[in-house]
Amino acid sequence: MTVLELRQYSLHPGRRDELVALFEREFVESQEELGARVVGTFHDLADPDRFVWVREFADMGVRLAALRGFYGGPVWKEHRDAANATMIDSDDVLLLEPVGAGFPTASRAGVGEGRPGPSRVLAVLRLGSGGEPDAAAAQRLLGAPVVVARTASYVNDFPALPVRDEKAVVVFAAFPGAKEVAAARRAVEHAWQGEHLQVLELEPTARSAYR
């Protein structure tokens, strides 16, 4: 069973571009060589000092080995001080499992290289939700292909990186632009009113695979 981490970092004012540049240069291939897949990296459009990213592991055993290898390895040791200097908090993390197919595998190409595809991502966190998520209903509601995930029941066996002890269902969808995202957001907030929602409107960074 694939394991996902949705990670939201609060940064010191004005430091996001610095972190993104460092992350994309040093922390993508170095994690993937160890068994993690960096699914997506995003600017939070509502908060210029928030960086959001998703990584994926084949299972919890692969996750443990990859985290030990990366955070105990030379790349993180060389660059951790520079990365941590940009951050106020990096502990806002949900440990998830996909419902259905999960994230598609996509090539990682830079902006300006003729890469087609959506340029905005909506991530809707239905917090406190312990019910069975309905991917088909979410796709009809948002009007776009979705990736749905729910809180994984696994124990976090790498306590150096805490995760939130909270049930959640998270829906991701990618759109061509701001107009389509706004319409999807209105539909979500109307249909799921009364729920505890966190709605993230995200812009993929240059090397984000999911976009």
Side-chain angles (χ1 to χ4, degrees):
M1 175 63 71
T2 303
V3 182
L4 302 168
E5 292 177 355
L6 171 60
R7 311 186 65 86
Q8 301 184 55
Y9 291 178
S10 296
L11 308 177
H12 292 289
R15 304 292 295 273
R16 186 168 67 185
D17 287 349
E18 178 185 345
L19 177 61
V20 168
L22 175 62
F23 191 103
E24 294 195 326
R25 186 179 69 247
E26 303 292 348
F27 298 155
V28 176
E29 284 80 7
S30 57
Q31 292 190 74
E32 294 189 338
E33 289 168 358
L34 296 169
R37 181 166 80 101
V38 179
V39 171
T41 46
F42 309 101
H43 304 115
D44 185 336
L45 291 173
D47 184 348
D49 300 315
R50 183 171 294 267
F51 173 60
V52 179
W53 64 293
V54 179
R55 66 180 163 191
E56 177 184 86
F57 309 89
D59 54 43
M60 287 296 286
V62 171
R63 176 179 181 266
L64 180 59
L67 296 183
R68 283 176 172 170
F70 178 71
Y71 292 102
V75 174
W76 178 246
K77 287 180 179 178
E78 180 179 352
H79 299 288
R80 65 186 175 190
D81 290 344
N84 288 333
T86 69
M87 301 177 194
I88 297 172
D89 175 59
S90 61
D91 292 343
D92 187 346
V93 180
L94 287 171
L95 186 63
L96 305 166
E97 60 186 9
V99 178
F103 285 97
T105 300
S107 62
R108 183 176 290 110
V111 172
E113 296 178 6
R115 182 178 181 183
S119 59
R120 291 289 184 273
V121 169
L122 198 67
V124 183
L125 286 66
R126 304 176 71 179
L127 301 171
S129 178
E132 188 67 23
D134 189 335
Q139 182 160 315
R140 289 193 298 270
L141 178 63
L142 273 72
V146 298
V147 176
V148 179
R150 63 185 165 200
T151 305
S153 59
Y154 308 115
V155 174
N156 178 27
D157 53 5
F158 194 78
L161 295 184
V163 300
R164 288 161 59 176
D165 183 17
E166 181 175 13
K167 287 190 175 296
V169 171
V170 185
V171 180
F172 301 88
F175 298 89
K179 180 180 178 181
E180 293 84 358
V181 166
R185 182 169 188 156
R186 287 193 298 269
V188 161
E189 291 174 343
H190 175 74
W192 294 336
Q193 59 183 314
E195 294 191 32
H196 184 194
L197 299 179
Q198 182 186 12
V199 183
L200 304 175
E201 188 173 336
L202 306 172
E203 178 184 58
T205 68
R207 300 194 65 212
S208 181
Y210 184 69
R211 55 195 312 117

